């Protein structure tokens, strides 16, 4: 028997599907989302910030979907709470969707809406339909996983790729037959355009890092079999941070960046200024 919560959810989705038929697209509205609304980052962030730099945030109504709308963003973008009424409204009202992860299964894209999927990584591991087994928080039905993935990617009109290597894998792994935009990742432009001492020192000042120290970035992916609950993943690592501190802290600082699916909150105080 479905729970009351599930019944309410299903009724809300049904109402959305019926009501959305009567919401027309507006050409100047763009819906942005990164990391399933968990943060402000990645390719959508840098596409949006280039629009802000060019003043296009005044020409277009830029809507950002967040799980926590308290997140600060530059420019004239409007922040809305993910999965609430405004989010559902703008999912139908927007001329463009710019997401870097799969959209929610119940969303219905207007026929006039163009969906630009930027994705969020380089396929150095098996993805989506290329996967032979799956263990998503204990869910191991690979056929169902592939079916859901293919249903999601069928809505994508454009897909951004970093290079020809990624393009070929993305086409196959995502069963993607839309237009591939092999233009490089917008989030990586900063590594070339702002790779200078002034910008590097700005970042070090912002993070309180000694200007004379070098930085090591540790940004591991997630492990699908290391989890607390469905969709709640652990920070799984074999790194010995104590050994790293003892060997490297005189000359280096370590920045640890979790994957967006990892929900751990780790206290790094024991490592002082090293982490």
């Amino acid at each position: 028997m479905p729970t009351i919560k599930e019944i309410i959810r299903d009724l809300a989705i049904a109402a959305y599907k019926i009501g959305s038929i009567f919401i027309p697209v507006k050409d100047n509205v763009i819906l942005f989302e990164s990391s399933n609304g968990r943060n402000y980052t990645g390719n959508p962030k840098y596409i949006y910030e280039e629009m802000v730099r060019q003043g296009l945030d005044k020409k277009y109504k830029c809507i950002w979907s967040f799980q926590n709308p308290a997140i600060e963003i530059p420019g004239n973008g409007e922040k809305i709470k993910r999965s609430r009424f405004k989010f559902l409204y703008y999912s139908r009202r927007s001329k463009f969707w710019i997401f870097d992860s799969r959209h929610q299964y119940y969303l219905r894209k207007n026929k006039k809406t163009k969906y630009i999927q930027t994705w969020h990584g380089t396929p150095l591991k098996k993805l989506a339909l290329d996967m032979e087994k799956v263990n998503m928080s204990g869910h191991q039905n690979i056929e169902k996983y592939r079916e859901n993935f293919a249903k999601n990617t069928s809505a994508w009109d454009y897909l951004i790729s970093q290079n020809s290597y990624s393009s070929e894998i993305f086409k196959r792994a995502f069963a993607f037959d839309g237009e591939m935009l092999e233009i490089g990742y917008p989030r990586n432009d900063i590594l070339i355009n702002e790779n200078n001492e002034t910008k590097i020192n700005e970042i070090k000042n912002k993070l309180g890092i000694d200007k004379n120290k070098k930085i090591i970035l540790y940004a591991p992916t997630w492990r699908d079999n290391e989890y607390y609950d469905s969709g709640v993943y652990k920070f799984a690592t074999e790194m010995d941070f104590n050994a790293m501190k003892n060997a490297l802290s005189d000359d280096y600082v370590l920045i640890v960046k979790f994957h967006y699916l990892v929900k751990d909150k780790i206290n790094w105080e024991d490592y002082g200024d090293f982490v």
Side-chain angles (χ1 to χ4, degrees), residues 240-243 245 249 266-275:
D240 187 333
F241 294 103
N242 285 315
K245 179 184 176 184
S249 60
I266 296 175
N267 186 341
W268 298 98
E269 289 181 1
D270 290 346
Y271 301 99
D273 294 333
F274 175 61
V275 180

Side-chain angles (χ1 to χ4, degrees), residues 16-273:
Y16 161 68
K17 289 176 180 177
I18 295 169
S20 63
I21 298 171
F22 305 100
I23 301 174
V25 159
K26 191 169 184 182
D27 287 347
N28 72 330
V29 179
I30 306 173
L31 180 62
F32 291 87
E33 185 178 272
S34 61
S35 304
N36 300 134
R38 289 189 173 128
N39 48 37
Y40 173 64
T41 188
N43 293 316
K45 169 185 176 179
Y46 286 98
I47 292 171
Y48 171 69
E49 290 192 355
E50 178 61 20
M51 292 182 67
V52 172
R53 190 186 71 79
Q54 294 187 29
L56 293 172
D57 59 319
K58 299 179 180 70
K59 178 179 178 181
Y60 292 90
K61 187 177 181 66
C62 298
I63 308 295
W64 269 93
S65 158
F66 289 119
Q67 293 184 19
N68 175 16
I71 293 173
E72 291 187 10
I73 63 172
N76 293 314
E78 179 181 342
K79 298 177 294 182
I80 59 174
K81 191 163 179 67
R82 192 178 196 248
S83 300
R84 300 296 173 84
F85 175 78
K86 268 193 170 183
F87 173 75
L88 298 175
Y89 171 77
Y90 280 116
S91 72
R92 293 292 293 185
R93 187 68 162 153
S94 300
K95 176 68 175 181
F96 299 96
W97 291 0
I98 301 179
F99 296 173
D100 69 357
S101 302
R102 285 184 288 163
H103 59 280
Q104 288 164 299
Y105 71 94
Y106 56 79
L107 286 188
R108 292 295 180 271
K109 180 170 72 80
N110 196 303
K111 290 180 180 179
K112 294 182 179 179
T113 298
K114 297 299 181 183
Y115 186 168
I116 304 171
Q117 172 59 245
T118 75
W119 204 240
H120 54 265
T122 302
L124 301 177
K125 61 179 183 180
K126 287 188 176 181
L127 289 174
L129 306 185
D130 279 351
M131 293 171 64
E132 296 166 356
K133 59 181 180 179
V134 67
N135 184 2
M136 304 285 285
S137 311
H139 302 290
Q140 300 179 346
N141 187 333
I142 185 66
E143 294 306 322
K144 187 66 176 176
Y145 174 79
R146 287 174 175 165
E147 179 187 331
N148 289 338
F149 219 112
K151 190 180 296 183
N152 201 281
T153 60
S154 66
W156 303 356
D157 296 296
Y158 302 93
L159 175 60
I160 292 179
S161 167
Q162 312 92 308
N163 46 55
S164 57
Y165 167 83
S166 296
S167 294
E168 288 307 308
I169 294 176
F170 283 161
K171 287 176 187 175
R172 182 185 69 241
F174 295 148
F176 180 68
D177 60 1
E179 185 172 344
M180 186 72 69
L181 303 177
E182 196 175 294
I183 57 175
Y185 270 1
R187 71 183 190 189
N188 290 339
D189 290 354
I190 192 174
L191 301 178
I192 297 171
N193 299 336
E194 299 191 6
N195 185 17
N196 58 68
E197 188 174 355
T198 300
K199 285 294 183 180
I200 290 168
N201 285 333
E202 279 182 15
I203 293 169
K204 286 184 173 180
N205 285 335
K206 183 178 180 180
L207 299 178
I209 294 173
D210 187 331
K211 288 183 181 179
N212 297 314
K213 289 192 175 182
K214 297 177 181 178
I215 297 173
I216 299 171
L217 173 65
Y218 178 51
T221 190
W222 59 297
R223 303 285 183 262
D224 58 5
N225 61 345
E226 296 281 351
Y227 58 91
Y228 297 105
D229 200 352
S230 181
V232 183
Y233 292 92
K234 298 179 180 180
F235 177 60
T237 180
E238 297 298 322
M239 298 287 271
D240 187 333
F241 294 103
N242 285 315
M244 293 180 72
K245 179 184 176 184
N246 292 334
L248 301 171
S249 60
D250 288 344
D251 301 307
Y252 292 88
V253 167
L254 181 68
I255 291 180
V256 182
K257 170 69 169 68
F258 295 171
H259 188 279
Y260 74 90
L261 290 176
V262 171
K263 297 290 188 70
D264 274 326
K265 293 184 178 179
I266 296 175
N267 186 341
W268 298 98
E269 289 181 1
D270 290 346
Y271 301 99
D273 294 333

